[in-house]
């Protein structure tokens, strides 16, 4: 008998109906129903039998099935308690999966990686709930948990923001944060027909391969990200005014002007014109002012 894979409309509906499951919009529930896309994600994530994989939001277990078949071990973190009995059923034939009923933003990923993978870098794979894409990605990076790569389905325009550089309207704090920690690469665009129910936005799978060494060195990473946030909070303002108006940045205007002048791009430059290296330089200027 062939296996009961969930990644098609018929089998997904059969499970949904069997459990009278009701999709929760508030949890960003759009389940994949296209086998080709599920296979592509797992392949692009480079999952092998050596790997421990963290899946965020397994839903009814569609991608989890394939992850279990390709990885050494999988932990699947799902917030919706109504999905837990369904997952226990759909994944019952796999002995290498742990289902965790929790909010991923509350999970100690460091501890999970230590417990399950001897603190070696883990692979994160997910069709993310779009309402918390950025907090999840930032948590994975900022927690400094050992992560090798993050291969995730996100809203198409969020993928574009992660990949783009200075001068583009999509360039912002997310682009800089992602590129500081990882090399982003869109691997496939996915139309709404591949999901149940269909989202009203386009989607892309993006792979974020974590850098071994960050591409810029900066004295105070936290300060650099405060500066980046302040620069993009008021996009249409000049960098000087953005930094001066921000409650996160407590430097006198005169120091801010000197720092911006040092960039050699004029005092009316906007944050969106600065590269990651320039933000690091700006941050180091403020760090050295503090230590005077
Ligand atoms: N992986 C499944 C698939 O591709 O068919 C489902 C993907 S669906 C876009 C997102 C999943 O994330 C849902 O199952 C949802 O309940 C779950 N989810 C939403 N917020 C979450 C959170 N904070 N922590 C863990 N899971 C969450």
């Amino acid at each position: 008998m062939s296996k009961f894979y969930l990644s098609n409309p018929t089998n997904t509906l059969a499970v949904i109906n069997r459990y009278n499951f009701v999709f929760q919009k508030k949890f960003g529930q759009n389940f994949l129903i296209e086998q080709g896309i599920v296979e592509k994600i797992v392949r692009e994530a480079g999952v092998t039998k050596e790997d421990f994989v963290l899946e965020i939001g397994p839903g009814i277990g569609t991608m989890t099935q394939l992850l279990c078949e390709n990885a050494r071990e999988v932990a699947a973190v799902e917030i919706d308690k109504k999905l837990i009995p369904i997952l226990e059923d759909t994944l019952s034939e796999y002995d290498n999966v742990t289902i965790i009923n929790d909010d991923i933003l509350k999970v100690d990923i460091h501890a999970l990686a230590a417990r399950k993978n001897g603190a070696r870098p883990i692979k994160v794979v997910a069709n993310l709930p779009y309402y918390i894409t950025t907090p999840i990605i930032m948590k994975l990076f900022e927690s400094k948990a050992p992560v090798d790569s993050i291969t995730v389905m996100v809203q198409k325009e969020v993928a574009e923001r992660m990949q783009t550089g200075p001068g583009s309207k999509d360039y912002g704090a997310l682009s800089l944060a992602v590129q500081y920690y990882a090399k982003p690469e869109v691997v496939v665009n996915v139309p709404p027909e591949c999901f149940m129910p269909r989202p009203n936005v386009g989607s892309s799978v993006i792979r974020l391969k974590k850098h071994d060494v960050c591409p810029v060195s900066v004295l105070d990473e936290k300060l650099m990200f405060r500066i980046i946030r302040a620069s993009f909070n008021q996009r249409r303002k000049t960098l000087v005014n953005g930094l001066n108006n921000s409650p996160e940045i407590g430097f006198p205007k005169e120091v801010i002007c000197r720092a911006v002048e040092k960039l050699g791009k004029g005092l009316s430059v906007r944050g969106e014109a600065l590269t990651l290296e320039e933000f690091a330089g700006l941050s180091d200027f403020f760090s050295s002012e503090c230590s005077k």
Side-chain angles (χ1 to χ4, degrees), residues 27-32 57-59 77-79 103-104 127 129 131-132:
F27 288 142
Q29 290 175 341
N30 300 95
F31 298 166
L32 273 167
V77 179
E78 174 55 61
I79 197 170
D103 176 348
I104 188 63
N127 170 16
Y131 75 105
I132 45 165

Side-chain angles (χ1 to χ4, degrees), residues 12 21 24 26-33 38 41 55-64 77-80 83 100 102-107 125-132 136 153 195-196:
T12 296
F21 177 75
Q24 296 281 333
K26 68 171 179 189
F27 288 142
Q29 290 175 341
N30 300 95
F31 298 166
L32 273 167
I33 49 167
V38 179
I41 298 172
E55 187 191 10
I56 300 165
I60 58 171
T62 308
M63 191 151 65
T64 328
V77 179
E78 174 55 61
I79 197 170
D80 187 351
L83 285 168
I100 302 168
D102 207 344
D103 176 348
I104 188 63
L105 296 179
K106 296 190 180 141
V107 172
V125 184
N127 170 16
L128 284 179
Y130 293 172
Y131 75 105
I132 45 165
I136 292 175
M153 180 87 71
F195 301 86
M196 183 187 291

